Amino acid sequence: LLGDDNVGRTSLIYSLVSEDVVPPSATSTYPIDAFRPNTDDISIPPEVTRARIPTVIMDYCGRQPMNADEIDDLLLPMECPSPNPLLQSSRSLYSCIRQAHVICLVYAFDSRESRDRLLTVWLPLIDRSATTIPIILVANKSDLIADRSEEATHLNQDNREFFRLTMSKYSRIEACIETSTRTMKNISELFYSA
């Protein structure tokens, strides 16, 4: 899983592993690390997956690229320690991308900034890693705009147009999915698709 901080990458894993919603007050009451699994990688044995294959989920929690100028530094195949020794202690972003079979690129449904950074930072970073790994775009936090207001309708239309345009520009994007860890919307479907 790749994407900006606070888009819900860790919550997606928590919801999958616990088969439960993330409590609404979890991120405001507890530090986010209270919901982070104890290991960097989550291993799922083949007998519990539909496809009967072993699965490892990596949530890259190391240094995030702030702009396109930092992409080359983060793609160095050397080790890049995280500021938090409990997270990604020695795995570089480059090695995470190179080890992946699928990249789930996560952004917050209600955040234009996190969505725009997919185009300006994350997708160029993946492209420059010289890999042909398929990508799934994940619009997380879709529960935040569940009402029928005009603003919610516009955000839904805007997101669907973003999916369409981004898929037409990046042929490696194989799917786009809306998720919510508060309602469990498409959590299992996301990881099954990956």
Side-chain angles (χ1 to χ4, degrees), residues 78-133:
M78 60 187 213
E79 300 300 319
C80 284
S82 167
N84 182 339
L86 297 175
L87 308 174
Q88 301 303 122
S89 58
S90 65
R91 181 180 293 141
S92 72
L93 178 56
Y94 176 82
S95 67
C96 284
I97 291 172
R98 299 295 293 177
Q99 291 174 26
H101 293 275
V102 175
I103 294 174
C104 295
L105 195 49
V106 184
Y107 70 98
F109 195 100
D110 65 329
S111 168
R112 180 175 283 285
E113 180 183 355
S114 74
R115 190 181 74 186
D116 290 348
R117 284 178 45 81
L118 294 183
L119 299 173
T120 60
V121 176
W122 289 105
L123 286 164
L125 186 147
I126 293 166
D127 277 348
R128 289 175 63 187
S129 70
T131 180
T132 57
I133 298 167

Side-chain angles (χ1 to χ4, degrees), residues 16-191:
L16 176 73
V17 172
S18 69
E19 296 181 347
D20 197 5
V21 298
V22 173
S25 61
T27 55
S28 60
T29 307
Y30 306 101
I32 190 63
D33 290 339
F35 291 95
R36 181 173 299 290
N38 290 331
T39 61
D40 289 342
D41 301 342
I42 301 299
S43 296
I44 301 172
E47 57 271 11
V48 297
T49 65
R50 291 181 202 168
R52 300 283 185 225
I53 57 172
T55 304
V56 177
I57 302 170
M58 293 187 285
D59 178 6
Y60 180 75
C61 302
R63 185 169 158 250
Q64 305 284 316
M66 298 312 295
N67 57 54
D69 296 333
E70 294 184 0
I71 291 174
D72 288 332
D73 292 340
L74 288 173
L75 289 179
L76 294 174
M78 60 187 213
E79 300 300 319
C80 284
S82 167
N84 182 339
L86 297 175
L87 308 174
Q88 301 303 122
S89 58
S90 65
R91 181 180 293 141
S92 72
L93 178 56
Y94 176 82
S95 67
C96 284
I97 291 172
R98 299 295 293 177
Q99 291 174 26
H101 293 275
V102 175
I103 294 174
C104 295
L105 195 49
V106 184
Y107 70 98
F109 195 100
D110 65 329
S111 168
R112 180 175 283 285
E113 180 183 355
S114 74
R115 190 181 74 186
D116 290 348
R117 284 178 45 81
L118 294 183
L119 299 173
T120 60
V121 176
W122 289 105
L123 286 164
L125 186 147
I126 293 166
D127 277 348
R128 289 175 63 187
S129 70
T131 180
T132 57
I133 298 167
I135 299 169
I136 298 173
L137 288 185
V138 182
N140 195 29
K141 302 184 180 186
S142 64
D143 59 286
L144 296 178
I145 53 94
D147 64 16
R148 300 280 182 221
S149 71
E150 186 175 319
E151 180 183 358
T153 301
H154 177 70
L155 194 55
N156 274 315
Q157 291 171 341
D158 196 34
N159 190 62
R160 287 188 175 87
E161 182 66 7
F162 173 76
F163 276 169
R164 188 185 67 71
L165 292 173
T166 308
M167 283 186 81
S168 67
K169 183 176 180 179
Y170 292 90
S171 61
R172 289 188 298 138
I173 297 175
E174 294 193 358
C176 302
I177 189 167
E178 296 176 3
T179 60
S180 169
T181 60
R182 300 265 165 86
T183 65
M184 296 297 288
K185 176 182 178 181
N186 293 329
I187 302 299
S188 296
E189 292 80 1
L190 165 63
F191 289 100

